[in-house]
Amino acid sequence: MKLSAQRARELGRALCDTVFPPSCLNCGDLVEASPLRHVCAVCAPLIQRVEPPCCSCCGHPFFGEASGERICVHCEGLLPAFGEGRTAVLFKGPARALVHELKYRHGLHALEDIATLLVGHTHTAEFLRGALLVPVPLHKRKQRERGYNQAVELARALALGLGGGTRVVELLARDTDTQTQTNLDRKERRANLKNAFALAPGAVITTDHRHVLIDDVFTTGSTLNACAAVLRRAGCLNLDVCTFGHG
Ligand SMILES: [Zn+2]
Ligand SMILES: [Zn+2]
């Protein structure tokens, strides 16, 4: 009997799960009969998927009365260099646990669930399918420390899951090893990011293609906007952004 690669992977995973049952990244319980692999059946429904109406810049949903607005309070003053922004989920609870595992605990396995949530969500899947996905770059030193750039890995997983001509193009490089952005306000972030990004050596922009910048989380939008400005200056006309979480 010959096994297909897909079937072999499934069997391998089933065996692995029997020997080392996965535990939920959010609550620590065993993951059984869950739509996700690293979030249990109790925590999975706690992930808040974003549905329209939402801010056309960052993708944050409008709750209640504010559905007439285009830009939310997070984005006032951002002056986006990109067209539209979408996000799949709110960055809290189990969604936050997945990103933390991916970014800070060398947990590349969390990517599987993050990609599942993005690809399985029409709101983001339709937005991304067929586009050229441009991951937000990491500085070389950080990438060495982490072992990978989570935005590149995410973009690759999305291209694979979405099909339809969706491709990853690594057009950007991060030249400056900026200090962490966490404790800075928007103005400080913008100054911190000035000239941090550049076109990657040999990068070619195909102006007639739609490009979508990919990152794990939309916080103030400063990083994505700095990347978008570089792509715009290089002649990119049709440019949007998409993140997994907003928070
Ligand atoms: Zn759980
Ligand atoms: Zn917004």
Side-chain angles (χ1 to χ4, degrees), residues 24-82:
C24 176
L25 292 175
N26 193 52
C27 74
D29 274 2
L30 280 188
V31 178
E32 284 173 316
S34 170
L36 298 172
R37 200 165 141 68
H38 303 286
V39 178
C40 75
V42 175
C43 293
L46 303 177
I47 297 176
Q48 267 185 278
R49 287 169 180 75
V50 170
E51 299 288 353
C54 42
C55 171
S56 66
C57 178
C58 69
H60 194 272
F62 289 125
F63 298 110
E65 296 300 302
S67 61
E69 290 175 38
R70 241 188 108 248
I71 300 285
C72 77
V73 286
H74 304 101
C75 295
E76 277 170 12
L78 181 65
L79 303 171
F82 51 85

